[in-house]
Amino acid sequence: MLMNGVVEIAWYCPGGKKDDIFDDCVAFLNLHGDAKDHQQQLQFLQAVSTVNVLLLSEQPQREETKTLCQNLSTSPIPLICLFSGSERVQGSKNPLKVRLAAKNRNEAELTEELITNIKQCIGKYNKKQSIENCCKEARKLKFKVDEDKQSFKDGHALAQTLVCLLKEKRISDIKKEFLPLHGELWHKWCLKNKQQFRLSCKTNETIEQQKSIILSDMKATRRKQRKITLSLNDFMRSFLDCLTSSDHSEDTKFYMLQWLRVLLDELSSDHLARLEENYHSTWSQMKNVPKTKEKAEELDKLSKQLNSISENMAASTIGLQHIIREVGQMHECSVKQSAGALPALGAEMLISGYPLELMDGDESHVPLIWVQAVLQSLIDKLGDKKVYVLSILGLQSSGKSTLLNTMFGLQFTVSAGRCTRGAFMQMLKVDENIREELGFDFLLVVDTEGLRSPELSTKTSLSHDNELATFIIGIGDMTVINIMGENPSEMHEILQICVQAFLRMKRVEIKPSCIFVHQNVAEASAGDKNMEGRRRLQEKLDEMAQTAAKGEGIDDVYSFSDVIQFDLESQVFYFKNLLEGDPPMAPPNPSYSQNVQDLKTKVLSVAKWRTGFRFPSLSQFSVRVKDLWNALLQENFVFSFRNTLEIMVYSSLEEKYAQWSWKLRKCSLETQTKLKNQIGSNQIVDVNTTDLISDFDEVYTALKRETEAHFKEEKHAEILIKWKENVKNRLESLKNELIEETLKQCKMLTENKRSMSELDRKKSHYEKNLMKESKKMATSLKDKRLTDKQVEEEFSSLWVKWVAEIAKDQLPDEPVHIKAIMEAILYSHFQKQADLMNKIKTISANGMFEFTKQKHISQSFMGARLEWVKEKFGKGILQEFAEKLHQNVKHMVDEYIMKKELEKTDFNQNFIFEILEEIERHIQECERNEHVKFTYEYRFDLSVLVCLGSVQRFQKMHESFKKANNPVTYLQSKREQYSEMFKNYCKGANSVTIFAEFLLKNILPAVEEATYNKTKVQIADNMKCNNPAMSGNRCNLENHILRHLAIQKNFEFYNEYIHNPKLYFKRFIGEHVETFCEDYKKLQDMLHENLKEMKLHILRTSTEASDEVNLKSGNASMWLDHFCKKLGGHMVINRESLRSIQDEDISDTKFLKEMMAKCLEEVVKSENMESVDASSQHLRLLKQEITEILFNQLEGCWAQCPFCKAICTNTIVNHSGDHRVQFHRSGALGSWHYHETDELSIDFCSTKVCSDRSFLSHSSGKWIPYKSYRDAGDPYDKWSITADGSTQGYWKWFICRFQKDWEERCGLKFKGRGAIPDSWIEITEESVLEELNIID
């Protein structure tokens, strides 16, 4: 019913064979239903047909049917009438009017008779029709004709106009004239681009010099292309106008592209057919010529002729893809590649369902800038949608494109031979109803050229096919590997290529999947056949896996399952032949369609059967294309692969980790302050690990929840997951480290407190007695009305007497001579050193020692390591090592002593032993890193110099400690406080007033210290969160340092940064802290707020204590107990030091509250605590501590690349695994130079390690190839240097800017093979600062 009135068309196409039924193409039109009911269709068929075939039923004929038959009989068009109800009919005398009986006839016999009559009629009535004539007839009958749609007409007209422009030139000249950008210029650019990554070792040119020349050539090529684009030819201008003009609808543009494709094929098809015929005839002729010396000239001539025809065929092949390739080159050579008009065209084509070229098949090159721009435009239009990338690989003509077209209704070109060149991608939108079920928004299908082309030489083909397979397998989430037939050799070739590609993916941690499709297999449905086929495939895969592993130098691969997760039962498909018989008229095999449907179901349901699989976004796909192609440009893919997305995601994770670790460190700082206050206030006598864990638990538990959420919800969760355990362990390790550090500090504080307890008790006892005596005398003098001067005299006499009594109780201080102790320890430690005492005296007197390589460098090292290579030119490198080591050791000792000074501890002999141990550690580290060996005498000289240099600071530390903790000295510091209290007693002041004043003056230093401690953490937190240099991880800090250095342009700063990065990092952080604290208003506001909060807390605690005393009818002692207990966690408040006022009468608690508030304000003002003193000790210590806090948070591994001095980017100090950096530097920064010359080596590590050059190992004195740099041993074998050729322009700019300074510093020259390339000189400061990508 539904088909009634429908006219179907089927074509017969002859195959040029003897058994062809017809010699020409014949179209068969079939009208469904009764013809008498469809008069319009009948009229149309009569108008366009060469022969009419009428089938009459057995039923009696109605008048309408008789009339219809009569009309057909009288028509001049031949008629074949089939009578289905008659076994015999009378024949017709007219050969164009045939009558055939159809009832009870043999089908084959009837068919043969029918064919014979059709051929006869066609031969006698030679009427041929065109599609255009059919359209005219349809219009007469008022049929709707698609071609009459206005957008269709406009599109057709536009396409014809464009093709008319092309017809002005010969077919073979069209691309050269109208598409010049992707011809010879693009070919040259591609060659140069590959050359820059595959540089050969030339004796007269370094890698960087070769690279510079190549880059200059590439820029020149781009300039030529750009010049051409400035004067676009009429064809390209018209083409772009058609697609970009707002005057044309989207439908018009769509039809224009469709028609253009058809017309371009028409334009070149005849010419190509002639060329192909000529090629085959020449080839046949060449085969018949005997391969003898006499015929060599003739063979050579024919060979050249074949090459010429082949080139002509390539030049004459023109399609839509070539025009789009030209558009891509227009974009790539444009100065402003950010302009999105051209990529938007490519994106629109993809959205419309057109295939877009991913890899240029003629050049075997990915136009990366263009492809990425198109994908970005796609993201801008659609959003960063999830895509499922399905790619296909197989030998040429194995039915790859046909399979994809059948499976998804695509339009990839299909024909015999190497039809698809390069790789094309086509995008399919997923219906919204099944999008959620499938898990992706678009299917991106990538079709490729066939592998193992006979058109390429064996070597070229192998290299090209391996590259193509690696690229296609790498970019695809799923790769369909198509094998045609059961030919073992073909199977061997395809598997060899694919397995090697999968192995490469495994090594660079890309996890694709694959499905094998075995086409043209007879009896594919038979279970036994399938089982046998699978067994053979498994054997081949295992064999190929072992072969590929051997080629890649891997030992632990024994089967294909060791390379990729693969299920032989469900991931191998066997297909019957596509056609039942020989083409072109063989009917499709229904089993093929069923096989394709099964495969399609398997492919689309990948999310269900691939564990943990996640579809990439368009942006991730774009990055994957870039990474794979950049790695393939190198000679060694695995060694060169650089996963940009992983680097980006890991960098983002490191920034998050910096935030998480800061929360832990901030918690640690706050905990340490609280515990320090509590220990100082005698509230706790010991701290254990369990207590500390509970203090950290709240923050740590919240952090675990936050990290868990981040790893689940982050956009790139599937990539992040690999670092989840690492981050978890790092946070756990940091927490334990901070707990251990806090515990250590607390143990030291409690130990100091215990050692000072007797002294504190004595001081408290003396103060109490002094208070008692002064109160007693003041009471006796109260009624005498003495003047202030008399009162002062009375107090002075009491004070002198009292101090004298205390002094009698003290044992006389034995002087401690730090220098003598130091010398004794040094004498004991370096007993082997000859003339020990005289050397100590000499170094002590001079304050230095003279470095000489004869005395201070091991002579065995000097002989074995060819030291003259280093020392021959200018300033000795060994002298430099010694100076750097001295600087590091001196800095270490300064830091050590400063830490002890902050702890306010007394001098201890153990300090010297600890310093000597650290000096030895620094010497060994320098020996290991710089490949030098210092003598015992150097160790002695350096240790003596540094230790004796610290004598004065240790002596001062000791004296300060004694002064602060001697009871007499301590009480002398309290004289003014007691004098004031004595005067108040004499004047009859209220005991509440005296109590409040004494209390607040006593705790004032603790209030000030607590205020600064809180401000310290606030400033560190503020800078960590808001200062762009401090807010990220160490890589971010390093970029800010590099920018700072570039702006300052101070060579000495650079020198320190390159050779002593740890010191420079700390200095840089210190400068930022200094800058922050120079904003006195901001600093004062912070201090004022914290002081205000502290005052409120004191008053609030005072009120609580008063309320408790009232409630329990307590006394001053109870009040002080409560007050000290509540404040003990916020400041160091020693209850013992307040015993002297614990007997005062404070029963008037209301008045006490008022006096506390009043006295607190007076005391704060009198001490000027609300203003910032730039020279105060508090502020100096504040800056030092903030610098230390931020440095500890931001430091990481300080290992430097042995070649270029780049700093390892790992954020863990003693991390496991290899050292790595994102960008290496020029070897000149490591003072590397050519053997026995003063020519600096300017090549970068990332290019050296893929070159065939070697270096002289300083540790072994042997020549080591850069490709095997790890063989040089420590420290080379601790570094992972990726041969991806990645460099920063920054250090090239530095070398150009400070060329003379660097030459003078290292005594070598940028000349000869070390001459600075011209391209380096063109690098500007602005470009290198932009390259750092700093966001303020």
Side-chain angles (χ1 to χ4, degrees):
M1 293 290 289
L2 292 174
M3 293 294 288
N4 280 347
V6 172
V7 178
E8 286 182 303
I9 185 168
W11 293 85
Y12 176 88
C13 300
K17 299 176 183 177
K18 292 179 181 179
D19 58 351
D20 284 341
I21 297 170
F22 299 103
D23 296 330
D24 292 315
C25 287
V26 179
F28 293 88
L29 301 175
N30 177 30
L31 173 61
H32 284 263
D34 195 332
K36 72 177 186 330
D37 299 329
H38 307 287
Q39 289 297 318
Q40 270 189 307
Q41 289 90 324
L42 184 60
Q43 289 178 46
F44 173 75
L45 292 176
Q46 283 183 279
V48 301
S49 298
T50 304
V51 179
N52 286 326
V53 178
L54 178 64
L55 178 62
L56 292 171
S57 67
E58 298 180 23
Q59 304 298 325
Q61 306 298 327
R62 294 182 184 179
E63 283 302 318
E64 298 95 324
T65 307
K66 291 178 180 178
T67 306
L68 187 149
C69 293
Q70 185 66 32
N71 291 337
L72 287 173
S73 298
T74 57
S75 168
I77 300 170
L79 173 66
I80 297 173
C81 194
L82 288 171
F83 295 88
S84 62
S86 303
E87 292 184 1
R88 292 182 178 219
V89 292
Q90 186 178 352
S92 171
K93 294 179 181 180
N94 188 345
L96 299 181
K97 306 296 178 183
V98 180
R99 294 156 61 89
L100 298 175
K103 188 175 181 180
N104 297 330
R105 292 285 301 276
N106 179 284
E107 185 178 339
E109 184 185 308
L110 178 62
T111 302
E112 185 61 38
E113 189 175 356
L114 186 58
I115 291 169
T116 304
N117 283 286
I118 291 173
K119 288 169 74 173
Q120 178 182 304
C121 291
I122 290 172
K124 292 187 178 294
Y125 185 76
N126 193 15
K127 173 190 173 185
K128 292 185 178 179
Q129 288 287 2
S130 65
I131 298 294
E132 286 79 6
N133 286 337
C134 292
C135 287
K136 289 176 184 176
E137 295 298 333
R139 290 187 189 101
K140 290 177 184 177
L141 294 166
K142 298 184 178 179
F143 284 179
K144 277 189 177 180
V145 179
D146 290 342
E147 283 83 344
D148 291 344
K149 189 178 176 183
Q150 191 57 46
S151 56
F152 188 99
K153 289 180 178 178
D154 294 342
H156 189 204
L158 290 171
Q160 282 185 316
T161 304
L162 290 170
V163 172
C164 284
L165 293 171
L166 298 179
K167 287 179 178 177
E168 297 172 5
K169 299 288 179 181
R170 286 194 311 167
I171 298 293
S172 57
D173 293 336
I174 287 176
K175 286 205 283 194
K176 187 177 179 181
E177 289 292 326
F178 296 107
L179 309 174
L181 298 183
H182 77 268
E184 186 60 34
L185 291 174
W186 171 234
H187 173 71
K188 184 180 177 183
W189 192 93
C190 293
L191 284 177
K192 291 292 180 184
N193 191 38
K194 285 184 178 178
Q195 279 177 23
Q196 71 162 320
F197 294 102
R198 303 172 185 183
L199 299 172
S200 59
C201 182
K202 295 182 179 179
T203 54
N204 59 335
E205 285 180 347
T206 65
I207 293 171
E208 285 301 323
Q209 287 168 345
Q210 290 179 58
K211 209 170 182 179
S212 178
I213 294 167
I214 289 168
L215 289 172
S216 296
D217 289 345
M218 288 168 70
K219 285 179 182 177
T221 303
R222 287 299 193 202
R223 281 195 295 271
K224 289 177 183 176
Q225 285 183 317
R226 206 173 298 129
K227 188 176 179 181
I228 292 170
T229 59
L230 293 175
S231 54
L232 271 182
N233 59 68
D234 292 341
F235 174 78
M236 283 306 298
R237 189 185 300 108
S238 302
F239 177 77
L240 292 174
D241 286 346
C242 289
L243 290 179
T244 56
S245 173
S246 57
D247 296 338
H248 305 307
S249 67
E250 292 303 314
D251 280 351
T252 301
K253 295 173 186 177
F254 176 81
Y255 286 128
M256 185 274 283
L257 290 172
Q258 290 283 53
W259 268 115
L260 186 59
R261 180 151 53 174
V262 172
L263 294 175
L264 287 173
D265 284 344
E266 282 184 8
L267 184 67
S268 58
S269 57
D270 290 342
H271 183 70
L272 283 171
R274 287 192 295 272
L275 286 173
E276 284 176 11
E277 189 178 341
N278 192 4
Y279 186 93
H280 287 302
S281 64
T282 307
W283 173 245
S284 300
Q285 187 181 345
M286 188 175 171
K287 283 197 297 183
N288 294 328
V289 176
K291 294 179 181 178
T292 60
K293 287 184 180 180
E294 294 77 13
K295 296 292 182 177
E297 188 176 338
E298 186 180 349
L299 281 169
D300 185 53
K301 184 179 177 182
L302 287 170
S303 178
K304 287 179 181 177
Q305 193 175 334
L306 276 177
N307 290 335
S308 174
I309 297 168
S310 183
E311 288 172 8
N312 199 349
M313 285 170 70
S316 303
T317 305
I318 179 166
L320 191 56
Q321 72 270 25
H322 296 101
I323 300 171
I324 298 303
R325 194 185 293 173
E326 186 79 1
V327 174
Q329 284 309 297
M330 287 173 64
H331 174 75
E332 290 211 339
C333 73
S334 62
V335 178
K336 293 182 180 179
Q337 289 169 352
S338 56
L342 297 179
L345 294 180
E348 284 296 339
M349 288 186 67
L350 272 174
I351 293 169
S352 299
Y354 282 94
L356 189 78
E357 192 171 51
L358 181 61
M359 175 186 275
D360 184 334
D362 293 327
E363 302 299 338
S364 296
H365 203 284
V366 176
L368 198 58
I369 298 169
W370 165 246
V371 169
Q372 289 205 288
V374 170
L375 290 172
Q376 184 55 52
S377 182
L378 207 57
I379 294 168
D380 295 340
K381 290 175 182 292
L382 302 174
D384 200 8
K385 299 294 186 182
K386 290 287 183 185
V387 289
Y388 176 21
V389 185
L390 176 70
S391 54
I392 190 162
L393 274 175
L395 299 182
Q396 72 169 60
S397 303
S398 60
K400 301 181 303 299
S401 301
T402 304
L403 177 61
L404 293 177
N405 293 348
T406 307
M407 202 176 339
F408 300 113
L410 304 179
Q411 296 179 11
F412 290 121
T413 308
V414 290
S415 66
R418 200 176 178 95
C419 46
T420 307
R421 294 297 304 271
F424 286 82
M425 56 182 175
Q426 191 165 345
M427 200 164 75
L428 292 171
K429 186 176 181 180
V430 177
D431 190 273
E432 291 183 5
N433 297 327
I434 57 170
R435 194 173 292 174
E436 190 174 339
E437 180 190 344
L438 294 181
F440 54 93
D441 303 296
F442 290 91
L443 177 68
L444 197 66
V445 183
V446 181
D447 187 24
T448 60
E449 64 181 86
L451 303 174
R452 289 292 185 265
S453 165
E455 299 157 31
L456 299 173
S457 67
T458 306
K459 188 175 179 181
T460 308
S461 174
L462 181 63
S463 171
H464 168 78
D465 288 347
N466 283 339
E467 281 184 9
L468 180 66
T470 303
F471 181 67
I472 295 305
I473 285 173
I475 63 171
D477 300 311
M478 173 72 67
T479 303
V480 175
I481 297 172
N482 193 53
I483 301 169
M484 177 61 76
E486 298 178 274
N487 187 326
S489 62
E490 286 187 358
M491 197 164 140
H492 181 93
E493 288 178 345
I494 180 81
L495 292 182
Q496 187 178 27
I497 297 167
C498 294
V499 171
Q500 187 165 11
F502 279 119
L503 190 63
R504 287 174 169 183
M505 295 304 108
K506 177 184 170 73
R507 292 184 69 188
V508 297
E509 296 185 356
I510 292 178
K511 298 175 181 177
S513 188
C514 71
I515 285 178
F516 286 91
V517 174
H518 226 75
Q519 292 206 52
N520 280 28
V521 177
E523 300 177 21
S525 58
D528 293 339
K529 184 76 175 179
N530 276 352
M531 193 177 295
E532 176 63 19
R534 284 187 169 89
R535 186 187 65 76
R536 286 205 311 272
L537 180 62
Q538 180 72 67
E539 288 174 357
K540 278 290 176 187
L541 287 171
D542 292 345
E543 180 190 333
M544 291 301 103
Q546 291 173 24
T547 305
K550 189 176 180 181
E552 294 282 332
I554 302 173
D555 299 326
D556 58 345
V557 172
Y558 305 103
S559 65
F560 187 60
S561 57
D562 292 332
V563 177
I564 187 174
Q565 188 178 354
F566 179 72
D567 179 19
L568 194 69
E569 292 299 318
S570 63
Q571 286 174 252
V572 179
F573 285 78
Y574 288 88
F575 281 22
K576 278 191 176 181
N577 296 344
L578 167 63
L579 302 173
E580 291 183 335
D582 294 328
M585 290 311 297
N589 189 332
S591 295
Y592 182 85
S593 300
Q594 183 58 51
N595 293 148
V596 169
Q597 184 58 41
D598 293 342
L599 173 62
K600 182 177 180 181
T601 303
K602 179 69 178 178
V603 165
L604 294 180
S605 62
V606 62
K608 295 179 182 178
W609 55 269
R610 268 190 75 182
T611 311
F613 176 71
R614 292 200 181 193
F615 295 102
S617 62
L618 280 166
S619 59
Q620 288 174 318
F621 173 68
S622 177
V623 170
R624 198 195 296 173
V625 169
K626 178 186 174 185
D627 290 342
L628 283 160
W629 179 243
N630 284 338
L632 279 168
L633 287 173
Q634 310 280 350
E635 286 181 305
N636 188 325
F637 171 81
V638 174
F639 201 29
S640 311
F641 183 76
R642 181 188 184 87
N643 195 320
T644 306
L645 185 60
E646 273 201 9
I647 292 169
M648 181 188 74
V649 172
Y650 185 73
S651 178
S652 172
L653 178 62
E654 279 292 308
E655 288 177 14
K656 287 296 292 182
Y657 177 78
Q659 295 171 20
W660 296 330
S661 61
W662 172 245
K663 288 179 182 178
L664 269 179
R665 196 173 291 279
K666 186 181 174 185
C667 169
S668 169
L669 291 168
E670 291 168 347
T671 303
Q672 286 173 17
T673 303
K674 182 184 78 172
L675 291 172
K676 181 182 176 184
N677 291 333
Q678 289 176 331
I679 292 167
S681 304
N682 290 323
Q683 291 188 357
I684 54 175
V685 293
D686 194 19
V687 177
N688 57 50
T689 307
T690 309
D691 296 334
L692 288 176
I693 290 173
S694 64
D695 286 335
F696 277 80
D697 263 354
E698 186 180 345
V699 173
Y700 185 64
T701 305
L703 269 182
K704 284 203 292 187
R705 285 196 299 269
E706 190 178 337
T707 53
E708 196 68 36
H710 179 76
F711 279 100
K712 279 183 182 176
E713 298 165 11
E714 215 276 342
K715 182 180 177 183
H716 302 292
E718 71 280 3
I719 299 174
L720 276 175
I721 195 69
K722 66 161 72 173
W723 298 300
K724 184 177 179 180
E725 281 304 310
N726 175 269
V727 168
K728 183 182 173 183
N729 294 337
R730 282 169 69 182
L731 285 173
E732 177 79 23
S733 176
L734 178 62
K735 184 194 78 166
N736 294 337
E737 186 184 310
L738 292 171
I739 288 174
E740 192 177 329
E741 182 187 322
T742 305
L743 186 66
K744 187 179 176 182
Q745 282 195 14
C746 291
K747 293 286 184 190
M748 185 189 68
L749 286 170
T750 52
E751 189 60 41
N752 287 344
K753 192 69 181 172
R754 269 194 290 272
S755 65
M756 298 291 293
S757 60
E758 181 60 26
L759 186 60
D760 287 341
R761 190 191 61 75
K762 281 185 179 181
K763 287 194 288 187
S764 177
H765 173 72
Y766 292 142
E767 281 192 85
K768 188 174 182 181
N769 287 341
L770 178 59
M771 177 68 81
K772 187 178 177 181
E773 290 293 324
S774 60
K775 190 175 182 181
K776 182 179 176 183
M777 180 177 278
T779 304
S780 66
L781 297 173
K782 191 188 294 184
D783 298 332
K784 294 183 179 180
R785 296 185 179 180
L786 301 176
T787 63
D788 286 348
K789 186 178 180 183
Q790 289 171 324
V791 171
E792 179 63 35
E793 287 172 355
E794 290 289 340
F795 177 77
S796 295
S797 63
L798 174 67
W799 185 263
V800 170
K801 179 185 172 186
W802 186 78
V803 168
E805 287 177 4
I806 294 172
K808 286 179 188 176
D809 295 341
Q810 306 304 311
L811 295 171
D813 275 344
E814 292 184 14
V816 177
H817 298 292
I818 307 292
K819 186 176 180 182
I821 295 170
M822 188 89 73
E823 287 178 351
I825 291 172
L826 288 169
Y827 188 83
S828 171
H829 194 76
F830 292 101
Q831 289 181 11
K832 297 178 185 177
Q833 178 61 44
D835 199 17
L836 187 63
M837 293 308 294
N838 284 333
K839 282 183 75 65
I840 291 176
K841 286 178 184 177
T842 305
I843 292 173
S844 178
N846 297 334
M848 60 173 287
F849 71 91
E850 184 181 352
F851 174 84
T852 57
K853 58 179 178 290
Q854 287 76 18
K855 286 195 302 180
H856 293 139
I857 300 296
S858 165
Q859 292 305 302
S860 60
F861 169 83
M862 295 274 281
R865 307 303 189 265
L866 302 174
E867 189 271 341
W868 60 272
V869 173
K870 297 180 179 180
E871 285 287 290
K872 184 176 177 181
F873 304 104
K875 183 180 177 181
I877 199 82
L878 296 173
Q879 171 86 27
E880 190 178 300
F881 290 158
E883 287 177 5
K884 177 185 172 183
L885 177 58
H886 181 202
Q887 187 182 5
N888 284 341
V889 168
K890 187 175 181 301
H891 178 75
M892 176 273 295
V893 174
D894 286 343
E895 293 277 302
Y896 180 88
I897 297 174
M898 186 185 79
K899 189 176 178 183
K900 296 300 178 186
E901 287 171 342
L902 289 172
E903 292 168 4
K904 297 180 181 177
T905 186
D906 194 9
F907 170 78
N908 190 308
Q909 291 187 18
N910 288 332
F911 295 172
I912 310 302
F913 290 107
E914 288 177 10
I915 286 173
L916 288 172
E917 194 176 307
E918 279 297 302
I919 290 172
E920 179 58 28
R921 189 181 67 79
H922 274 69
I923 291 172
Q924 288 179 7
E925 188 177 334
C926 180
E927 288 178 332
R928 188 168 58 252
N929 291 341
E930 306 296 353
H931 317 293
V932 66
K933 186 72 177 172
F934 292 105
T935 60
Y936 183 82
E937 186 171 356
Y938 177 78
R939 285 167 159 76
F940 169 77
D941 288 348
L942 180 62
S943 300
V944 170
L945 178 65
V946 172
C947 288
L948 291 179
S950 64
V951 166
Q952 287 186 351
R953 288 182 70 181
F954 279 130
Q955 191 73 48
K956 189 177 177 181
M957 180 197 296
H958 170 69
E959 290 167 1
S960 298
F961 180 82
K962 284 294 181 187
K963 184 178 179 181
N965 293 283
N966 183 286
V968 175
T969 309
Y970 170 75
L971 289 172
Q972 286 287 12
S973 68
K974 297 273 188 176
R975 188 184 190 285
E976 287 301 318
Q977 189 177 340
Y978 279 99
S979 174
E980 192 67 29
M981 191 163 51
F982 183 78
K983 289 175 185 176
N984 289 336
Y985 273 130
C986 290
K987 291 176 182 177
N990 187 293
S991 63
V992 170
T993 305
I994 293 168
F995 178 88
E997 283 186 359
F998 185 89
L999 171 66
L1000 291 170
K1001 283 188 177 180
N1002 192 282
I1003 68 171
L1004 187 67
V1007 172
E1008 187 173 16
E1009 186 177 354
T1011 303
Y1012 270 91
N1013 281 340
K1014 189 165 186 181
T1015 306
K1016 169 185 72 180
V1017 178
Q1018 281 181 343
I1019 292 173
D1021 189 44
N1022 186 301
M1023 291 186 70
K1024 186 69 189 71
C1025 298
N1026 301 321
N1027 186 309
M1030 312 293 160
S1031 60
N1033 54 16
R1034 207 196 50 191
C1035 287
N1036 171 66
L1037 174 61
E1038 186 169 8
N1039 282 339
H1040 278 83
I1041 287 175
L1042 291 175
R1043 180 175 71 172
H1044 173 76
L1045 288 167
I1047 293 169
Q1048 293 293 314
K1049 297 181 184 66
N1050 185 315
F1051 179 73
E1052 290 309 316
F1053 289 172
Y1054 268 111
N1055 195 35
E1056 182 183 2
Y1057 166 75
I1058 291 167
H1059 292 97
N1060 230 328
K1062 188 174 180 179
L1063 290 183
Y1064 191 84
F1065 268 70
K1066 197 161 192 177
R1067 182 145 73 88
F1068 180 80
I1069 292 170
E1071 287 172 1
H1072 274 253
V1073 172
E1074 189 73 40
T1075 303
F1076 185 95
C1077 293
E1078 281 175 0
D1079 186 349
Y1080 292 124
K1081 185 180 183 310
K1082 186 175 182 179
L1083 183 60
Q1084 190 163 314
D1085 287 344
M1086 292 175 79
L1087 286 166
H1088 177 75
E1089 278 301 312
N1090 290 329
L1091 181 59
K1092 182 181 175 183
E1093 191 178 324
M1094 191 61 70
K1095 287 192 294 184
L1096 287 172
H1097 196 68
I1098 290 169
L1099 294 176
R1100 195 161 48 244
T1101 306
S1102 166
T1103 302
E1104 288 175 7
S1106 298
D1107 292 342
E1108 185 182 24
V1109 166
N1110 286 338
L1111 184 66
K1112 297 180 179 179
S1113 302
N1115 55 14
S1117 181
M1118 180 189 285
W1119 192 98
L1120 287 170
D1121 287 343
H1122 182 94
F1123 185 79
C1124 292
K1125 184 179 179 181
K1126 285 287 184 181
L1127 282 181
H1130 300 276
M1131 65 178 79
V1132 176
I1133 182 167
N1134 192 345
R1135 173 68 178 83
E1136 283 295 310
S1137 68
L1138 301 172
R1139 285 176 63 191
S1140 56
I1141 58 168
Q1142 70 182 21
D1143 296 327
E1144 294 295 325
D1145 178 15
I1146 58 166
S1147 54
D1148 189 353
T1149 53
K1150 184 179 179 182
F1151 182 58
L1152 177 60
K1153 291 177 188 177
E1154 293 172 2
M1155 285 307 299
M1156 284 291 289
K1158 180 184 175 185
C1159 291
L1160 185 58
E1161 288 300 323
E1162 289 174 355
V1163 168
V1164 168
K1165 283 181 182 176
S1166 67
E1167 295 296 327
N1168 203 25
M1169 280 180 63
E1170 293 189 332
S1171 62
V1172 178
D1173 181 4
S1175 61
S1176 74
Q1177 176 77 353
H1178 271 302
L1179 188 57
R1180 185 177 71 83
L1181 291 177
L1182 179 80
K1183 293 174 186 175
Q1184 288 176 354
E1185 288 176 346
I1186 294 169
T1187 301
E1188 197 67 32
I1189 289 167
L1190 290 172
F1191 180 76
N1192 288 339
Q1193 171 63 21
L1194 290 164
E1195 83 162 326
C1197 178
W1198 294 107
Q1200 290 183 268
C1201 174
F1203 294 116
C1204 69
K1205 297 292 182 185
I1207 311 160
C1208 175
T1209 51
N1210 200 302
T1211 53
I1212 302 173
V1213 178
N1214 296 312
H1215 64 89
S1216 58
D1218 290 335
H1219 300 299
R1220 284 182 170 85
V1221 298
Q1222 187 174 0
F1223 293 106
H1224 282 270
R1225 308 170 183 171
S1226 166
L1229 297 175
S1231 299
W1232 285 84
H1233 56 92
Y1234 289 92
H1235 187 49
E1236 298 186 11
T1237 75
D1238 61 348
E1239 297 172 5
L1240 278 160
S1241 170
I1242 61 170
D1243 295 333
F1244 282 69
C1245 306
S1246 49
T1247 50
K1248 281 179 178 176
V1249 294
C1250 62
S1251 72
D1252 49 2
R1253 295 184 184 277
S1254 299
F1255 67 95
L1256 181 65
S1257 169
H1258 299 142
S1259 56
S1260 65
K1262 296 178 180 177
W1263 287 94
I1264 309 291
Y1266 275 108
K1267 286 180 179 177
S1268 311
Y1269 68 91
R1270 288 179 184 266
D1271 294 347
D1274 192 24
Y1276 302 96
D1277 58 355
K1278 303 291 190 299
W1279 279 84
S1280 173
I1281 305 173
T1282 307
D1284 55 14
S1286 59
T1287 60
Q1288 267 185 319
Y1290 187 95
W1291 294 107
K1292 297 175 183 178
W1293 170 83
F1294 165 79
I1295 286 172
C1296 296
R1297 176 67 177 76
F1298 296 101
Q1299 177 184 350
K1300 297 296 180 187
D1301 300 280
W1302 194 257
E1303 287 178 337
E1304 185 179 339
R1305 184 224 156 261
C1306 60
L1308 302 163
K1309 299 288 183 184
F1310 289 103
K1311 67 177 187 179
R1313 286 168 293 180
I1316 297 172
D1318 293 339
S1319 61
W1320 289 22
I1321 299 167
E1322 296 171 8
I1323 299 172
T1324 63
E1325 181 184 338
E1326 291 74 19
S1327 67
V1328 298
L1329 292 179
E1330 186 180 341
E1331 189 180 48
L1332 293 174
N1333 196 26
I1334 294 174
I1335 301 172
D1336 288 321

